[in-house]
Amino acid sequence: MSNLLEPIWKSELETMDVVFDICKKLDLRCYLAYGTLIGAVRHHGFIPWDDDVDLVMPRPDYERFLKEAGKYLPSHMVLNHYKLSNSKFASSTLKVENTQCKILRTYGSVEKWANAWVDIWPSDGVPDGKLPYMMFKIGTLYRLCLCRLCDIEVKGVNAEEKTFIENLIINVNKVLRLGKLMSRKKRYEKLEKYFARHPYDKCRRTVMIMGDERFESTMPVSYYGKAVYLDFEGKKYPAPAKYDKVLRKIFGDYMQLPPEDKQVCKHVVNVKRVGAENE
């Protein structure tokens, strides 16, 4: 598997370096996240079967990166986000794509070529108190459901990777086709406007609501704080100050390797480099 993934890793490392260089220029907070953070702690690099890079930024830094990063990117890298494109296939969260590496990936039962990318996830503020937090969760899930209806109409869905609630919504939508009645872009704008009610830097807790873990990623803002630097593929990259607590909150005993049958890259079928020979 590593032979297949090596050109992807090379491309993603190049892209990640560009992202962190831009963050340094703009004085933005950015940290390793999810499987990339596990890889840094447990493997000092990529998880051997992982095919992507995940980073996280506090919402204010994320929005500034989205607005300003494009002018610093090399010509073979592009930003993919619904605010920057009229395409109905634009990403709902920010991706920095490297057009010199193409990946044939499976999306449910469909195979499709895509650029190699680095995911950047926003981290949003969370209100204090049990009742405000419960109301925030209800409001967020309601708005997320409307966004998902639009996504289903546009992109289809892999039911095996969805929760019971999401699959219920999918089945209802097959009959009612509610997603066709709504603008996907406007739905995501309304969701982010709802998040803005709780500014990150005025809150004591944060959540990466756009990730798969949803509210399992709710934790104190102090867990992120001033970055510490961890080894990753021979270089050092910023990680949350209390990265062990971050990972245990989301994944539990993340140092325990999964069973061997789970140590697989599920989605990558083939890889090709484009234009690299002309660099």
Side-chain angles (χ1 to χ4, degrees):
M1 178 57 69
S2 60
N3 288 338
L4 178 63
L5 295 179
E6 280 174 5
I8 301 176
W9 293 343
K10 181 179 179 181
S11 172
E12 290 171 345
L13 282 171
E14 179 196 6
T15 306
M16 183 164 66
D17 285 341
V18 168
V19 169
F20 280 116
D21 283 346
I22 293 172
C23 288
K24 187 175 181 179
K25 285 186 178 77
L26 299 177
D27 194 23
L28 302 178
R29 295 163 290 184
C30 185
Y31 311 89
L32 304 180
Y34 293 135
T36 308
L37 183 55
I38 291 178
V41 178
R42 195 172 68 196
H43 305 272
H44 306 298
F46 285 100
I47 295 174
W49 53 91
D50 199 5
D51 67 335
D52 65 357
V53 164
D54 292 302
L55 308 176
V56 58
M57 289 184 179
R59 176 66 72 172
D61 304 71
Y62 177 91
E63 293 294 341
R64 189 175 171 209
F65 186 95
L66 184 59
K67 290 178 181 178
E68 299 186 33
K71 60 189 176 186
Y72 298 106
L73 290 177
S75 59
H76 62 283
M77 294 184 189
V78 295
L79 299 179
N80 180 352
H81 190 269
Y82 77 90
K83 288 183 179 179
L84 304 177
S85 172
N86 291 322
S87 169
K88 64 181 182 179
F89 298 106
S91 178
S92 57
T93 54
L94 182 57
K95 297 180 186 296
V96 184
E97 299 185 357
N98 191 324
T99 62
Q100 288 183 341
C101 182
K102 304 290 185 180
I103 307 173
L104 183 61
R105 295 174 61 93
T106 57
Y107 297 86
S109 59
V110 177
E111 292 185 356
K112 181 180 177 183
W113 285 100
N115 296 323
W117 71 77
V118 167
D119 277 312
I120 303 178
W121 303 91
S123 187
D124 290 287
V126 173
D128 284 330
K130 289 185 178 180
L131 182 58
Y133 181 57
M134 181 182 72
M135 297 305 295
F136 173 75
K137 287 178 70 173
I138 292 171
T140 298
L141 291 173
Y142 165 71
R143 289 165 176 81
L144 269 175
C145 285
L146 295 179
C147 291
R148 292 295 177 246
L149 286 175
C150 298
D151 284 343
I152 292 163
E153 283 294 333
V154 170
K155 299 182 178 182
V157 69
N158 181 2
E160 294 179 358
E161 297 181 356
K162 303 300 176 186
T163 65
F164 171 79
I165 297 291
E166 288 173 315
N167 279 317
L168 179 62
I169 294 168
I170 291 166
N171 290 327
V172 170
N173 188 61
K174 285 179 180 177
V175 177
L176 300 180
R177 306 305 296 272
L178 297 174
K180 279 194 169 183
L181 304 178
M182 297 180 286
S183 162
R184 179 174 179 265
K185 187 171 186 176
K186 287 183 179 179
R187 282 295 153 196
Y188 275 105
E189 287 174 347
K190 287 181 180 294
L191 177 65
E192 294 186 356
K193 187 176 180 180
Y194 181 71
F195 292 154
R197 296 182 185 182
H198 307 286
Y200 180 93
D201 289 308
K202 293 184 178 180
C203 292
R204 292 191 294 179
R205 293 190 297 168
T206 183
V207 65
M208 294 168 63
I209 195 63
M210 300 304 290
D212 292 339
E213 287 71 24
R214 300 285 190 259
F215 290 100
E216 292 299 316
S217 66
T218 301
M219 63 189 71
V221 169
S222 62
Y223 282 14
Y224 287 89
K226 185 177 180 181
V228 297
Y229 284 77
L230 301 179
D231 291 324
F232 191 94
E233 299 296 338
K235 294 185 178 181
K236 290 187 178 292
Y237 294 93
K242 299 180 180 179
Y243 59 83
D244 180 70
K245 289 187 175 182
V246 170
L247 290 174
R248 291 191 185 281
K249 179 68 174 66
I250 298 175
F251 300 106
D253 185 9
Y254 65 92
M255 293 300 289
Q256 179 68 41
L257 289 172
E260 286 192 14
D261 62 333
K262 300 294 184 182
Q263 298 179 25
V264 294
C265 180
K266 297 180 180 179
H267 305 297
V268 174
V269 179
N270 199 1
V271 182
K272 64 182 178 182
R273 295 281 289 173
V274 179
E277 64 274 11
N278 298 322
E279 293 175 354

